[in-house]
Amino acid sequence: QVQLMESGGGSVQAGGGLRLSCEASGYRYDLYYTGWIRQAPGKEREGVAAIYGGSGVAYYADSVKGRFTISRDTAKNTLYLQMNSLEPDDSAVYYCAAGPPLVGGRWFTALLRSNYRGQGTQVTVSS
């Protein structure tokens, strides 16, 4: 049974930072993308960042490149998202998600189309 459990959300002022954690279990990590998606009120869900377990390669949305860093601790089965230089537009519910690669799809497609995601954690950035 796939389990993804997020922690670490909260409220911060613009320019600040937060670190999200995701404990992942119940699936072949090396065959899946594991990462983060987010959804803000009135906006579509979007992929934020992911790691492909087999290669360890990290992927980022253009909107967060240079500000967010995704990493993993394989011994703890835990994924992290270090978010720096946060902006009000980063405010959203962040979900940890996992999904297998899809033919012809990109990393964020695997996450967005998968049913495997956690319950979410709120991130609020005030200006």
Side-chain angles (χ1 to χ4, degrees), residues 3 15 27 32 49 54 58 63-64 69 73-74 77 103 105 107-108 111 127:
Q3 291 190 322
Y27 64 100
Y32 277 45
S63 59
V64 307
T69 302
D73 184 333
T74 53
N77 292 330
V103 176
W107 62 271
F108 49 84
L111 298 186
S127 56

Side-chain angles (χ1 to χ4, degrees), residues 4-60:
L4 300 161
M5 187 178 305
E6 308 96 339
S7 61
S11 298
V12 65
Q13 288 193 328
L18 286 172
R19 189 176 80 157
L20 305 183
S21 300
C22 172
E23 293 186 40
S25 62
Y27 64 100
R28 283 285 305 272
Y29 181 83
D30 59 326
L31 298 180
Y32 277 45
Y33 289 100
T34 305
W36 302 88
I37 60 176
R38 67 185 180 186
Q39 186 162 25
K43 295 184 179 180
E44 293 187 358
R45 279 182 304 192
E46 64 170 336
V48 177
I51 291 179
Y52 182 63
S55 64
V57 174
Y59 301 85
Y60 297 94

Side-chain angles (χ1 to χ4, degrees), residues 69-86:
T69 302
I70 190 171
S71 62
R72 62 180 177 175
D73 184 333
T74 53
K76 295 182 179 179
N77 292 330
T78 300
L79 196 75
Y80 303 99
L81 185 69
Q82 179 64 46
M83 305 185 294
N84 296 330
S85 302
L86 282 162

